[in-house]
Amino acid sequence: MRTWYGVRRLYEPRFQQRVLLLLVIIAAGYYAVWSIAQWVGLTPAALRFDFVNYFGGAQAAAHGGDIYGDFKRSWGTEAWVVAYIYPPFFAELLAPLTPLGLVAAARIWLIAVHAAFFGSLALLLRIHPELSRPGRRLLLLGALGFMPVYLNLKFQQVATVWLLLVTATLWAALRHRDGRAGIFIALAASLKVTPIFLIPLFYRLGRIRLAVMAGVALVALTATTMLASPGSWQFFTVVLPRIGLGTANWDNGSIDGLVSRIVQLSPNLLGDNTQTAAKVLIVLAAVVVIGVTLWQARGVGPAANGWTLRLSVAALMTALLIASSVTWQHHLVTLLLPLATAIAWMTVRRPGHRYGWWLFAGYAMCWIDRRAFPLPANLQVHGAGEATLVLAATSVKLLGLLLLWTLLLQMLRQERAAALTQPARPAADAAA
Protein backbone atom coordinates (compact mmCIF):
# COMPACT_ATOMS: atom_id res chain seq x y z
CA MET A 1 0.00 0.00 0.00
CA ARG A 2 2.94 2.35 0.60
CA THR A 3 3.56 2.39 -3.17
CA TRP A 4 0.10 3.76 -3.95
CA TYR A 5 0.16 7.43 -4.93
CA GLY A 6 -2.19 8.77 -2.29
CA VAL A 7 -0.61 6.69 0.47
CA ARG A 8 2.94 7.27 -0.76
CA ARG A 9 2.57 11.02 -0.38
CA LEU A 10 1.87 10.57 3.33
CA TYR A 11 5.43 9.27 3.77
CA GLU A 12 7.02 12.32 2.12
CA PRO A 13 8.36 14.75 4.77
CA ARG A 14 7.52 17.83 2.71
CA PHE A 15 3.95 16.68 2.16
CA GLN A 16 3.61 15.85 5.86
CA GLN A 17 4.65 19.39 6.79
CA ARG A 18 2.08 20.85 4.40
CA VAL A 19 -0.66 18.67 5.86
CA LEU A 20 0.35 19.71 9.39
CA LEU A 21 0.31 23.39 8.41
CA LEU A 22 -3.13 23.00 6.85
CA LEU A 23 -4.45 21.31 9.99
CA VAL A 24 -3.00 24.07 12.19
CA ILE A 25 -4.70 26.72 10.03
CA ILE A 26 -8.03 24.88 10.26
CA ALA A 27 -7.68 24.49 14.06
CA ALA A 28 -6.76 28.18 14.46
CA GLY A 29 -9.76 29.18 12.35
CA TYR A 30 -12.07 27.06 14.47
CA TYR A 31 -10.56 28.53 17.65
CA ALA A 32 -11.15 32.06 16.34
CA VAL A 33 -14.76 31.41 15.27
CA TRP A 34 -15.57 29.61 18.52
CA SER A 35 -14.04 32.39 20.62
CA ILE A 36 -15.87 35.16 18.75
CA ALA A 37 -19.17 33.30 19.11
CA GLN A 38 -18.55 32.91 22.83
CA TRP A 39 -17.69 36.59 23.19
CA VAL A 40 -20.82 37.74 21.33
CA GLY A 41 -23.10 35.31 23.17
CA LEU A 42 -21.77 36.04 26.66
CA THR A 43 -24.78 36.50 28.94
CA PRO A 44 -25.42 36.16 32.69
CA ALA A 45 -26.95 32.75 31.98
CA ALA A 46 -23.73 31.61 30.28
CA LEU A 47 -21.74 32.72 33.33
CA ARG A 48 -23.82 30.88 35.91
CA PHE A 49 -21.42 27.94 36.27
CA ASP A 50 -18.15 29.35 37.57
CA PHE A 51 -17.52 33.02 36.87
CA VAL A 52 -20.55 34.19 38.81
CA ASN A 53 -18.95 32.59 41.88
CA TYR A 54 -15.62 34.29 41.14
CA PHE A 55 -17.46 37.58 40.76
CA GLY A 56 -19.31 37.11 44.05
CA GLY A 57 -16.06 36.41 45.87
CA ALA A 58 -14.46 39.47 44.26
CA GLN A 59 -17.38 41.65 45.32
CA ALA A 60 -17.03 40.44 48.89
CA ALA A 61 -13.29 41.14 48.78
CA ALA A 62 -13.88 44.63 47.36
CA HIS A 63 -16.30 45.51 50.16
CA GLY A 64 -14.49 43.80 53.02
CA GLY A 65 -17.03 40.98 53.21
CA ASP A 66 -16.64 37.24 53.71
CA ILE A 67 -15.51 35.79 50.38
CA TYR A 68 -16.36 32.29 51.64
CA GLY A 69 -19.82 33.17 52.94
CA ASP A 70 -21.63 31.29 50.15
CA PHE A 71 -19.32 28.34 50.62
CA LYS A 72 -20.19 27.99 54.28
CA ARG A 73 -23.92 28.47 53.68
CA SER A 74 -24.30 26.08 50.76
CA TRP A 75 -21.67 23.41 51.37
CA GLY A 76 -22.95 19.85 51.36
CA THR A 77 -21.94 16.58 49.78
CA GLU A 78 -21.55 18.21 46.35
CA ALA A 79 -22.63 21.83 46.82
CA TRP A 80 -19.09 23.08 47.35
CA VAL A 81 -18.49 22.97 43.59
CA VAL A 82 -20.81 25.95 43.08
CA ALA A 83 -19.20 28.32 45.59
CA TYR A 84 -15.97 30.33 45.66
CA ILE A 85 -13.26 27.82 46.63
CA TYR A 86 -10.05 29.57 45.51
CA PRO A 87 -7.40 31.25 47.68
CA PRO A 88 -8.14 34.89 48.59
CA PHE A 89 -5.55 36.19 46.11
CA PHE A 90 -7.84 35.36 43.16
CA ALA A 91 -10.74 37.33 44.67
CA GLU A 92 -8.44 40.31 45.30
CA LEU A 93 -7.20 40.05 41.71
CA LEU A 94 -10.74 40.32 40.31
CA ALA A 95 -11.98 42.90 42.82
CA PRO A 96 -11.10 45.95 40.63
CA LEU A 97 -13.42 44.59 37.91
CA THR A 98 -16.53 44.41 40.08
CA PRO A 99 -17.74 48.01 39.41
CA LEU A 100 -18.06 47.11 35.71
CA GLY A 101 -20.78 44.56 36.30
CA LEU A 102 -20.88 40.80 35.77
CA VAL A 103 -20.80 40.60 31.95
CA ALA A 104 -18.23 43.35 31.38
CA ALA A 105 -15.95 41.88 34.05
CA ALA A 106 -16.34 38.44 32.47
CA ARG A 107 -15.34 39.80 29.06
CA ILE A 108 -12.17 41.36 30.47
CA TRP A 109 -11.33 38.17 32.35
CA LEU A 110 -11.96 36.16 29.17
CA ILE A 111 -9.41 38.31 27.34
CA ALA A 112 -6.93 37.55 30.13
CA VAL A 113 -7.64 33.82 29.78
CA HIS A 114 -6.99 33.97 26.01
CA ALA A 115 -3.83 36.02 26.54
CA ALA A 116 -2.55 33.52 29.10
CA PHE A 117 -3.15 30.67 26.66
CA PHE A 118 -1.22 32.27 23.80
CA GLY A 119 1.44 33.57 26.17
CA SER A 120 1.94 30.01 27.43
CA LEU A 121 2.33 28.70 23.87
CA ALA A 122 4.90 31.40 23.06
CA LEU A 123 6.91 30.57 26.20
CA LEU A 124 6.72 26.84 25.50
CA LEU A 125 8.26 27.40 22.09
CA ARG A 126 11.05 29.49 23.66
CA ILE A 127 11.72 26.97 26.40
CA HIS A 128 12.02 24.17 23.85
CA PRO A 129 14.15 25.49 20.98
CA GLU A 130 14.88 21.87 20.01
CA LEU A 131 11.42 21.61 18.46
CA SER A 132 11.67 21.25 14.70
CA ARG A 133 9.23 22.97 12.38
CA PRO A 134 6.98 19.87 12.27
CA GLY A 135 7.31 19.59 16.05
CA ARG A 136 6.15 23.19 16.55
CA ARG A 137 3.23 22.66 14.23
CA LEU A 138 2.33 19.44 15.99
CA LEU A 139 2.35 21.24 19.35
CA LEU A 140 0.18 24.07 18.06
CA LEU A 141 -2.23 21.58 16.50
CA GLY A 142 -2.43 19.62 19.75
CA ALA A 143 -3.05 22.81 21.74
CA LEU A 144 -5.64 24.38 19.43
CA GLY A 145 -7.47 21.07 19.11
CA PHE A 146 -7.37 20.09 22.80
CA MET A 147 -10.84 19.70 24.32
CA PRO A 148 -9.79 20.93 27.83
CA VAL A 149 -8.71 24.25 26.25
CA TYR A 150 -12.25 24.94 25.07
CA LEU A 151 -13.79 23.81 28.36
CA ASN A 152 -11.44 26.19 30.16
CA LEU A 153 -12.60 29.04 27.93
CA LYS A 154 -16.26 28.07 28.26
CA PHE A 155 -16.14 28.27 32.05
CA GLN A 156 -13.60 31.17 32.21
CA GLN A 157 -11.37 29.02 34.39
CA VAL A 158 -7.89 29.81 35.74
CA ALA A 159 -6.07 26.83 34.20
CA THR A 160 -4.44 28.85 31.39
CA VAL A 161 -3.22 31.44 33.91
CA TRP A 162 -1.86 28.62 36.05
CA LEU A 163 -0.14 27.15 32.98
CA LEU A 164 1.37 30.54 32.09
CA LEU A 165 2.81 31.02 35.59
CA VAL A 166 4.31 27.52 35.75
CA THR A 167 5.75 27.90 32.26
CA ALA A 168 7.20 31.27 33.23
CA THR A 169 8.71 29.61 36.32
CA LEU A 170 10.45 27.04 34.14
CA TRP A 171 11.61 29.74 31.70
CA ALA A 172 13.13 31.78 34.54
CA ALA A 173 14.69 28.74 36.22
CA LEU A 174 16.42 27.67 32.99
CA ARG A 175 17.96 31.14 32.82
CA HIS A 176 18.95 31.06 36.52
CA ARG A 177 16.70 34.01 37.36
CA ASP A 178 15.81 32.61 40.76
CA GLY A 179 14.02 35.70 42.03
CA ARG A 180 11.57 35.79 39.12
CA ALA A 181 11.04 32.04 39.30
CA GLY A 182 10.25 32.29 43.00
CA ILE A 183 7.70 35.06 42.42
CA PHE A 184 6.03 33.05 39.64
CA ILE A 185 5.74 30.01 41.95
CA ALA A 186 4.21 32.20 44.68
CA LEU A 187 1.66 33.62 42.24
CA ALA A 188 0.79 30.17 40.86
CA ALA A 189 0.37 28.68 44.35
CA SER A 190 -1.84 31.64 45.29
CA LEU A 191 -4.23 30.75 42.45
CA LYS A 192 -4.08 26.96 42.81
CA VAL A 193 -2.47 25.40 45.87
CA THR A 194 -0.81 22.44 44.12
CA PRO A 195 2.07 24.43 42.50
CA ILE A 196 3.50 24.69 46.02
CA PHE A 197 5.11 21.29 45.31
CA LEU A 198 7.42 23.08 42.86
CA ILE A 199 9.34 24.32 45.92
CA PRO A 200 10.48 20.85 47.10
CA LEU A 201 11.06 19.90 43.47
CA PHE A 202 13.59 22.68 42.93
CA TYR A 203 15.16 21.91 46.29
CA ARG A 204 15.52 18.31 45.17
CA LEU A 205 17.20 19.49 41.97
CA GLY A 206 19.76 21.47 43.96
CA ARG A 207 18.20 24.87 43.24
CA ILE A 208 18.07 25.71 46.95
CA ARG A 209 18.22 29.49 46.49
CA LEU A 210 15.24 29.38 44.13
CA ALA A 211 13.25 27.18 46.53
CA VAL A 212 13.95 29.50 49.48
CA MET A 213 12.99 32.61 47.51
CA ALA A 214 9.78 30.95 46.34
CA GLY A 215 8.88 30.08 49.94
CA VAL A 216 9.56 33.60 51.16
CA ALA A 217 7.58 35.13 48.30
CA LEU A 218 4.63 32.81 48.94
CA VAL A 219 4.54 33.64 52.65
CA ALA A 220 4.72 37.37 51.93
CA LEU A 221 1.99 37.23 49.28
CA THR A 222 -0.30 35.10 51.45
CA ALA A 223 0.14 37.41 54.44
CA THR A 224 -0.59 40.48 52.28
CA THR A 225 -3.79 39.05 50.78
CA MET A 226 -5.03 37.84 54.15
CA LEU A 227 -4.56 41.30 55.60
CA ALA A 228 -6.38 42.83 52.64
CA SER A 229 -9.28 40.38 52.94
CA PRO A 230 -10.43 39.84 56.53
CA GLY A 231 -11.64 36.35 57.22
CA SER A 232 -9.66 34.84 54.36
CA TRP A 233 -7.87 32.60 56.87
CA GLN A 234 -10.95 30.39 56.46
CA PHE A 235 -9.45 29.11 53.24
CA PHE A 236 -6.97 27.12 55.32
CA THR A 237 -9.28 26.16 58.19
CA VAL A 238 -12.57 25.52 56.38
CA VAL A 239 -12.25 25.40 52.59
CA LEU A 240 -9.11 23.29 52.11
CA PRO A 241 -10.14 20.58 54.59
CA ARG A 242 -13.52 20.21 52.90
CA ILE A 243 -12.50 20.28 49.25
CA GLY A 244 -9.58 18.02 50.16
CA LEU A 245 -12.13 15.26 50.72
CA GLY A 246 -12.59 15.04 46.95
CA THR A 247 -15.79 14.09 45.17
CA ALA A 248 -17.31 11.08 43.46
CA ASN A 249 -18.50 13.30 40.59
CA TRP A 250 -18.11 11.44 37.29
CA ASP A 251 -16.02 14.27 35.84
CA ASN A 252 -13.37 14.06 38.56
CA GLY A 253 -10.41 12.44 36.78
CA SER A 254 -8.03 11.98 39.71
CA ILE A 255 -7.31 8.87 41.80
CA ASP A 256 -9.43 10.47 44.51
CA GLY A 257 -12.35 10.60 42.08
CA LEU A 258 -11.99 6.94 41.10
CA VAL A 259 -11.78 5.70 44.70
CA SER A 260 -14.70 7.92 45.72
CA ARG A 261 -16.84 6.50 42.89
CA ILE A 262 -15.99 2.94 43.92
CA VAL A 263 -17.06 3.71 47.49
CA GLN A 264 -20.23 5.42 46.26
CA LEU A 265 -21.19 2.42 44.11
CA SER A 266 -20.15 -0.17 46.72
CA PRO A 267 -20.45 1.48 50.14
CA ASN A 268 -20.15 -1.88 51.95
CA LEU A 269 -17.27 -3.26 49.91
CA LEU A 270 -15.14 -3.70 53.04
CA GLY A 271 -17.94 -3.49 55.56
CA ASP A 272 -17.60 -0.79 58.20
CA ASN A 273 -13.99 -0.18 57.14
CA THR A 274 -14.82 0.93 53.59
CA GLN A 275 -14.64 4.67 54.23
CA THR A 276 -11.46 4.40 56.30
CA ALA A 277 -9.76 2.18 53.73
CA ALA A 278 -10.71 4.59 50.94
CA LYS A 279 -9.20 7.56 52.77
CA VAL A 280 -6.00 5.65 53.46
CA LEU A 281 -5.77 4.54 49.83
CA ILE A 282 -6.27 8.10 48.55
CA VAL A 283 -3.59 9.52 50.82
CA LEU A 284 -1.21 6.66 50.07
CA ALA A 285 -1.70 7.07 46.31
CA ALA A 286 -0.98 10.81 46.51
CA VAL A 287 2.15 10.23 48.59
CA VAL A 288 3.41 7.55 46.20
CA VAL A 289 2.74 9.50 42.99
CA ILE A 290 4.23 12.79 44.20
CA GLY A 291 6.98 11.05 46.17
CA VAL A 292 8.12 8.94 43.21
CA THR A 293 8.14 12.04 41.00
CA LEU A 294 10.28 14.00 43.44
CA TRP A 295 12.59 11.02 43.92
CA GLN A 296 13.11 10.60 40.17
CA ALA A 297 13.74 14.35 39.77
CA ARG A 298 17.44 14.26 40.40
CA GLY A 299 20.05 15.15 37.88
CA VAL A 300 23.72 14.30 37.45
CA GLY A 301 26.05 17.22 36.78
CA PRO A 302 24.82 19.87 34.34
CA ALA A 303 21.90 17.68 33.29
CA ALA A 304 19.98 19.00 36.31
CA ASN A 305 19.77 22.39 34.61
CA GLY A 306 18.74 21.06 31.19
CA TRP A 307 16.52 18.18 30.26
CA THR A 308 16.24 16.89 33.81
CA LEU A 309 14.83 20.22 34.95
CA ARG A 310 12.28 20.38 32.13
CA LEU A 311 11.25 16.74 32.42
CA SER A 312 10.99 16.98 36.22
CA VAL A 313 8.63 19.98 36.07
CA ALA A 314 6.59 18.25 33.36
CA ALA A 315 6.33 15.03 35.37
CA LEU A 316 5.34 16.91 38.52
CA MET A 317 2.60 18.83 36.70
CA THR A 318 1.16 15.52 35.50
CA ALA A 319 1.53 13.90 38.92
CA LEU A 320 -0.35 16.75 40.62
CA LEU A 321 -3.33 16.20 38.31
CA ILE A 322 -3.29 12.50 39.18
CA ALA A 323 -3.03 13.04 42.94
CA SER A 324 -5.26 16.11 43.30
CA SER A 325 -8.48 15.79 45.25
CA VAL A 326 -10.40 17.17 42.26
CA THR A 327 -9.24 17.16 38.63
CA TRP A 328 -11.83 18.49 36.19
CA GLN A 329 -11.14 18.15 32.48
CA HIS A 330 -10.46 21.88 32.05
CA HIS A 331 -7.55 21.48 34.52
CA LEU A 332 -5.83 19.33 31.89
CA VAL A 333 -4.87 22.48 29.97
CA THR A 334 -1.68 22.38 32.04
CA LEU A 335 -0.71 19.20 30.16
CA LEU A 336 0.44 21.38 27.27
CA LEU A 337 3.72 21.88 29.14
CA PRO A 338 4.42 18.13 29.53
CA LEU A 339 3.36 17.54 25.92
CA ALA A 340 5.76 20.20 24.63
CA THR A 341 8.61 18.82 26.73
CA ALA A 342 7.98 15.26 25.58
CA ILE A 343 7.81 16.24 21.89
CA ALA A 344 11.02 18.27 22.17
CA TRP A 345 12.83 15.44 23.99
CA MET A 346 11.81 12.91 21.35
CA THR A 347 12.94 15.30 18.62
CA VAL A 348 16.46 15.32 20.09
CA ARG A 349 16.82 11.80 21.49
CA ARG A 350 14.84 9.89 18.82
CA PRO A 351 13.99 7.02 21.17
CA GLY A 352 11.77 5.10 18.75
CA HIS A 353 8.21 5.10 17.44
CA ARG A 354 6.77 3.49 20.54
CA TYR A 355 7.40 6.70 22.49
CA GLY A 356 5.37 8.65 19.95
CA TRP A 357 2.46 6.23 20.17
CA TRP A 358 2.76 6.24 23.96
CA LEU A 359 2.47 10.04 23.99
CA PHE A 360 -0.40 10.06 21.49
CA ALA A 361 -2.37 7.50 23.52
CA GLY A 362 -2.03 9.59 26.68
CA TYR A 363 -3.06 12.77 24.84
CA ALA A 364 -6.08 11.09 23.22
CA MET A 365 -7.33 9.67 26.51
CA CYS A 366 -7.08 13.07 28.18
CA TRP A 367 -9.04 14.55 25.26
CA ILE A 368 -11.95 12.13 25.50
CA ASP A 369 -14.90 13.17 27.65
CA ARG A 370 -16.94 10.63 29.57
CA ARG A 371 -20.03 11.79 27.60
CA ALA A 372 -18.62 9.91 24.63
CA PHE A 373 -19.73 6.70 26.36
CA PRO A 374 -23.30 5.39 26.75
CA LEU A 375 -23.57 6.20 30.44
CA PRO A 376 -26.93 6.68 32.20
CA ALA A 377 -28.21 10.18 31.45
CA ASN A 378 -29.79 10.52 34.89
CA LEU A 379 -26.50 9.55 36.61
CA GLN A 380 -28.27 6.65 38.31
CA VAL A 381 -26.50 3.28 38.19
CA HIS A 382 -28.46 0.03 38.19
CA GLY A 383 -26.61 -3.25 38.31
CA ALA A 384 -23.03 -4.39 38.24
CA GLY A 385 -22.77 -3.99 34.46
CA GLU A 386 -23.61 -0.29 34.52
CA ALA A 387 -21.32 0.23 37.52
CA THR A 388 -18.41 -1.36 35.65
CA LEU A 389 -19.12 0.76 32.59
CA VAL A 390 -19.25 3.94 34.68
CA LEU A 391 -15.98 3.17 36.43
CA ALA A 392 -14.25 2.37 33.14
CA ALA A 393 -15.59 5.36 31.18
CA THR A 394 -14.92 7.88 33.95
CA SER A 395 -11.34 6.64 34.38
CA VAL A 396 -10.16 7.18 30.81
CA LYS A 397 -8.61 10.58 31.65
CA LEU A 398 -6.87 9.06 34.67
CA LEU A 399 -5.39 6.33 32.48
CA GLY A 400 -4.18 8.96 30.03
CA LEU A 401 -2.55 10.91 32.86
CA LEU A 402 -0.84 7.77 34.12
CA LEU A 403 0.49 7.04 30.62
CA LEU A 404 1.95 10.55 30.31
CA TRP A 405 3.40 10.40 33.81
CA THR A 406 5.13 7.05 33.29
CA LEU A 407 6.43 8.23 29.90
CA LEU A 408 8.01 11.32 31.44
CA LEU A 409 9.54 9.25 34.24
CA GLN A 410 11.01 6.91 31.63
CA MET A 411 12.54 9.91 29.85
CA LEU A 412 14.00 11.08 33.17
CA ARG A 413 15.57 7.68 33.77
CA GLN A 414 17.13 7.72 30.31
CA GLU A 415 18.57 11.19 30.87
CA ARG A 416 20.08 10.12 34.17
CA ALA A 417 21.54 6.95 32.64
CA ALA A 418 23.02 8.97 29.75
CA ALA A 419 24.55 11.46 32.18
CA LEU A 420 26.16 8.67 34.19
CA THR A 421 27.70 7.03 31.12
CA GLN A 422 28.77 10.29 29.48
CA PRO A 423 32.22 10.54 31.19
CA ALA A 424 33.06 7.01 30.09
CA ARG A 425 32.73 7.86 26.40
CA PRO A 426 35.75 8.72 24.28
CA ALA A 427 36.49 12.41 23.89
CA ALA A 428 35.63 12.34 20.19
CA ASP A 429 32.20 10.86 20.87
CA ALA A 430 31.52 13.39 23.62
CA ALA A 431 32.44 16.25 21.34
CA ALA A 432 30.17 14.88 18.65
Side-chain angles (χ1 to χ4, degrees):
M1 291 181 60
R2 293 185 62 173
T3 60
W4 297 358
Y5 175 77
V7 177
R8 186 176 71 245
R9 293 298 303 276
L10 295 176
Y11 290 88
E12 299 175 3
R14 190 173 181 181
F15 183 75
Q16 291 175 353
Q17 291 191 31
R18 289 178 178 176
V19 171
L20 270 178
L21 179 59
L22 178 61
L23 291 175
V24 170
I25 293 173
I26 293 174
Y30 177 82
Y31 181 96
V33 172
W34 191 93
S35 300
I36 292 172
Q38 183 194 22
W39 174 271
V40 173
L42 207 59
T43 62
L47 300 171
R48 68 185 184 278
F49 296 105
D50 289 314
F51 188 80
V52 67
N53 301 308
Y54 306 161
F55 191 77
Q59 284 182 316
H63 297 89
D66 185 0
I67 61 178
Y68 299 113
D70 290 338
F71 177 93
K72 292 184 293 183
R73 284 190 295 269
S74 65
W75 189 85
T77 56
E78 296 289 342
W80 60 266
V81 300
V82 296
Y84 184 84
I85 60 173
Y86 290 92
F89 175 73
F90 187 33
E92 295 291 342
L93 188 66
L94 293 180
L97 300 180
T98 53
L100 303 176
L102 177 65
V103 176
R107 286 201 166 106
I108 294 175
W109 172 245
L110 190 57
I111 292 175
V113 171
H114 282 286
F117 173 62
F118 287 108
S120 300
L121 290 180
L123 271 180
L124 287 174
L125 293 177
R126 292 196 64 181
I127 289 172
H128 303 99
E130 301 88 354
L131 285 170
S132 61
R133 180 179 295 179
R136 292 194 296 270
R137 291 175 180 176
L138 187 63
L139 174 62
L140 292 176
L141 177 62
L144 293 170
F146 201 26
M147 175 66 76
V149 171
Y150 293 92
L151 293 176
N152 181 80
L153 294 172
K154 178 181 179 180
F155 299 117
Q156 293 89 33
Q157 276 287 340
V158 301
T160 55
V161 181
W162 178 22
L163 173 63
L164 176 62
L165 291 171
V166 175
T167 307
T169 299
L170 181 55
W171 172 83
L174 287 168
R175 285 154 180 78
H176 292 273
R177 299 175 180 176
D178 295 344
R180 294 185 185 183
I183 292 174
F184 289 140
I185 291 176
L187 291 172
S190 297
L191 287 176
K192 297 279 287 185
V193 177
T194 51
I196 197 173
F197 285 98
L198 286 169
I199 297 177
L201 174 69
F202 281 109
Y203 186 89
R204 172 70 173 164
L205 290 170
R207 305 292 295 273
I208 300 175
R209 181 172 180 268
L210 192 159
V212 171
M213 295 185 74
V216 172
L218 179 59
V219 170
L221 183 59
T222 303
T224 302
T225 53
M226 291 181 68
L227 289 174
S229 180
S232 58
W233 51 269
Q234 297 172 95
F235 176 76
F236 302 99
T237 59
V238 179
V239 180
L240 270 184
R242 289 182 177 177
I243 66 175
L245 298 175
T247 174
N249 189 295
W250 290 4
D251 291 319
N252 185 8
S254 65
I255 291 178
D256 191 315
L258 174 60
V259 175
S260 299
R261 285 189 291 273
I262 293 174
V263 172
Q264 185 183 61
L265 294 172
S266 301
N268 297 316
L269 184 64
L270 299 176
D272 295 337
N273 298 320
T274 302
Q275 291 287 344
T276 303
K279 293 177 182 178
V280 171
L281 181 60
I282 290 170
V283 173
L284 183 62
V287 170
V288 169
V289 170
I290 297 176
V292 168
T293 306
L294 294 176
W295 175 254
Q296 292 291 332
R298 62 188 191 278
V300 180
N305 294 321
W307 280 115
T308 301
L309 176 58
R310 284 183 276 179
L311 289 170
S312 297
V313 173
L316 180 64
M317 294 302 295
T318 311
L320 293 178
L321 293 170
I322 296 171
S324 176
S325 60
V326 179
T327 297
W328 306 126
Q329 193 169 14
H330 54 74
H331 293 162
L332 304 186
V333 170
T334 53
L335 288 178
L336 294 180
L337 190 155
L339 288 171
T341 304
I343 294 173
W345 185 88
M346 288 188 292
T347 301
V348 175
R349 302 303 187 214
R350 300 185 180 278
H353 293 295
R354 68 184 181 92
Y355 279 75
W357 288 112
W358 194 346
L359 179 64
F360 176 75
Y363 171 85
M365 290 180 179
C366 291
W367 196 98
I368 297 174
D369 187 76
R370 53 100 176 167
R371 293 167 184 82
F373 300 91
L375 301 182
N378 60 359
L379 303 182
Q380 299 298 317
V381 179
H382 304 283
E386 280 193 356
T388 303
L389 177 62
V390 167
L391 291 177
T394 56
S395 301
V396 173
K397 292 192 293 292
L398 177 59
L399 180 57
L401 289 170
L402 289 171
L403 284 175
L404 290 174
W405 180 61
T406 53
L407 176 63
L408 292 164
L409 292 183
Q410 175 64 17
M411 293 175 177
L412 268 171
R413 283 191 291 268
Q414 289 202 25
E415 281 300 307
R416 188 164 55 252
L420 288 171
T421 59
Q422 184 77 18
R425 296 177 181 175
D429 292 343

